[in-house]
Amino acid sequence: MSKIRSAKRVSSFADSVFGEMTRLAKLHNAVNLSQGFPDFEAPQAIKDAACTAIQAEQNQYAPPYGTAAFRDAIAQDFTRRYGVPVDPDEQVTVCCGSTEAMMASMLACVDPGDEVIVFEPFYENYGPDAILAGAEPKYVRMREPEWRFDPDELKKAFSNRTRAIVINSPNNPTGKVFTVKELMLIAELCQKWDVLAISDEIYERIVFNGHAHVPMASIPGMADRTITIGGLSKTYSVTGWRIGWAITPASLTGGIRKLHDYLTVAAPTPFHDAGVSALSLPDGFYSQLTADYQRKRDLMLDILGRHGFTAYVPGGAYYVMADVSRFGFSSDSEFAQYLVKEIGVATVPGSSFYIDPSAAPQSVRFCFSKLDDTLYEADKRLARLSVISG
Ligand SMILES: Cc1ncc(COP(=O)(O)O)c(C=O)c1O
């Protein structure tokens, strides 16, 4: 066999279904509700800050772990809102998106042969992140309609081999916001089995009425065993800037910084200043953000309800999962293909968020981080579905 071939470590990874759905959306001129990014503008103040930084010649490598001003802003913001002390010099590392923060954390804190617990349905990167670290992902199912997990299944997933557990709240794809009771159980198990929590809190600012975001690091006994991952992408509608961060126990920071340095050197320089500007936006920005997203969520739920979907109401983030079994397709992938090609709406098949798609419920994920007009257009197109399916 030729040695000019892909390495074994990538052979188990599937091609991204998001890329494929976006390709099909373009081909069929469909409304794209598949990928998780907004089609509306980012706040003017932070765009101005980025342009000013570029014009002021902040165009060479940034300090690898983030500028002091940006790390200070990240630490202060976390402490102010959640009451958890954070030392910007010892505990904050700015990365190329939360994607890199997660990968650097996993590579720096997990050894080959360890196990990493991941809730399913999951954001697509967690399994590959664990596998690239040489670890084995162990999946614990969350079940619709409220996406609760079975505490006994979770307890059984922990063992002496467990090194870390990945939590993502508010959750992609389900919109679940973990309750304090659930976080307390996870915390108790982490402490019992001496396990690290890697908490992806990228949607922390998008939480709807009746729910509250509680960071894992704020649960008693967890600050010293939690890596909190955050970023600018979702809150400030700048997914292309690639700015995220890891807030880590001081004992783990050195390893993560080394990994980050070798992986990417530093995150893009002009966006450190823009990040400071973002984190200094007034509280009104965030209340408006939540109100806007809550309205979009309700619009999306209304559209789905009128066109025959059983949607699971999200408590946070900007996705809705909806059951599609009643449409009579053999799988949700087949339904999603039909939807993009014949109806003109691109979604993501829910089964792609499960390790074994054949054992997943039939659902699709709709992203509602879109202009109202985009959602109205989806509404018009989905109306044809109700006619076709009766
Ligand atoms: C749960 C979750 N984590 C991380 C990311 C990626 O974030 P970033 O743009 O900061 O890499 C996404 C993007 O969709 C996400 O849904």
Side-chain angles (χ1 to χ4, degrees):
M1 201 197 312
S2 165
K3 283 185 275 181
I4 312 304
R5 62 176 193 273
S6 299
K8 289 188 196 111
R9 74 174 68 82
V10 294
S11 59
S12 66
F13 300 162
D15 286 329
S16 164
V17 66
F18 303 90
E20 173 61 4
M21 289 315 290
T22 295
R23 190 186 68 78
L24 286 174
K26 281 198 188 119
L27 190 66
H28 297 281
N29 201 18
V31 178
N32 192 353
L33 304 186
S34 66
Q35 260 179 318
F37 59 81
D39 64 354
F40 45 81
E41 291 176 6
Q44 191 59 45
I46 73 168
K47 289 191 290 192
D48 288 345
C51 293
T52 304
I54 290 174
Q55 295 298 355
E57 284 310 330
Q58 292 191 32
N59 299 314
Q60 309 309 326
Y61 297 124
Y65 320 133
T67 62
F70 192 22
R71 282 186 289 105
D72 280 352
I74 293 166
Q76 276 170 25
D77 179 64
F78 198 76
T79 304
R80 180 177 66 84
R81 288 188 294 128
Y82 302 125
V84 179
V86 176
D87 178 338
D89 294 327
E90 301 290 326
Q91 293 185 262
V92 178
T93 306
V94 175
C95 294
C96 294
S98 67
T99 300
E100 194 229 333
M102 176 62 76
M103 176 67 83
S105 300
M106 201 80 87
L107 288 173
C109 303
V110 168
D111 277 310
D114 290 340
E115 288 179 357
V116 175
I117 298 174
V118 173
F119 289 99
E120 126 184 291
F122 44 72
Y123 173 59
E124 62 167 355
N125 286 26
Y126 303 147
D129 286 345
I131 291 166
L132 287 175
E136 191 186 328
K138 295 278 276 185
Y139 298 97
V140 173
R141 186 66 81 96
M142 303 187 290
R143 291 186 178 81
E144 66 285 9
E146 290 179 349
W147 305 104
R148 294 211 181 105
F149 57 85
D150 176 345
D152 290 328
E153 278 177 32
L154 182 66
K155 284 178 195 161
K156 279 199 201 111
F158 277 79
S159 74
N160 281 329
R161 285 185 61 198
T162 313
R163 188 72 174 266
I165 180 168
V166 178
I167 301 129
N168 169 219
S169 179
N171 183 260
N172 173 11
T174 64
K176 174 188 172 77
V177 178
F178 282 59
T179 63
V180 172
K181 196 171 161 212
E182 288 172 323
L183 294 174
M184 298 276 276
L185 173 63
I186 298 168
E188 188 190 311
L189 292 166
C190 284
Q191 289 170 63
K192 175 174 173 195
W193 292 98
D194 195 18
V195 163
L196 173 71
I198 310 181
S199 190
D200 179 347
E201 300 179 13
I202 185 93
Y203 296 101
E204 64 179 321
R205 290 291 201 166
I206 306 174
V207 180
F208 308 123
N209 284 346
H211 300 268
H213 174 65
V214 178
M216 189 45 128
S218 71
I219 300 288
M222 290 306 287
D224 288 343
R225 57 173 69 250
T226 300
I227 296 177
T228 307
I229 289 180
L232 299 184
S233 285
K234 309 292 177 177
T235 309
Y236 306 99
S237 304
V238 287
T239 57
W241 283 11
R242 312 310 304 128
I243 297 287
W245 53 80
I247 301 175
T248 49
S251 60
L252 299 179
T253 306
I256 288 171
R257 286 182 171 179
K258 270 190 241 175
L259 247 302
H260 160 68
D261 203 346
Y262 287 127
L263 284 172
T264 63
V265 179
T269 308
F271 303 126
H272 294 237
D273 269 9
V276 174
S277 153
L279 290 172
S280 65
L281 286 175
D283 288 344
F285 167 80
Y286 301 99
S287 40
Q288 190 62 50
L289 179 85
T290 320
D292 286 348
Y293 271 123
Q294 176 130 355
R295 201 179 40 73
K296 286 182 191 295
R297 176 198 71 166
D298 293 343
L299 173 58
M300 189 82 245
L301 288 171
D302 173 58
I303 293 170
L304 294 176
R306 279 189 285 106
H307 301 312
F309 293 85
T310 305
Y312 305 118
V313 180
Y318 49 51
Y319 310 95
V320 179
M321 287 279 260
D323 179 89
V324 296
S325 51
R326 71 171 282 269
F327 293 107
F329 285 75
S330 65
S331 70
D332 56 14
S333 302
E334 201 185 295
F335 178 73
Q337 293 272 340
Y338 170 79
L339 215 53
V340 67
K341 291 179 187 162
E342 307 295 333
I343 301 293
V345 176
T347 58
V348 179
S351 57
S352 62
F353 301 103
Y354 290 79
I355 188 63
D356 176 5
S358 67
Q362 267 203 28
S363 60
V364 295
R365 189 196 74 175
F366 293 84
C367 171
F368 58 84
S369 173
K370 305 293 166 192
L371 290 166
D372 289 358
D373 281 348
T374 310
L375 298 176
Y376 294 143
E377 182 58 30
D379 186 7
K380 264 200 247 155
R381 294 182 183 204
L382 288 170
R384 281 188 50 225
L385 181 68
S386 336
V387 175
I388 292 162
S389 65

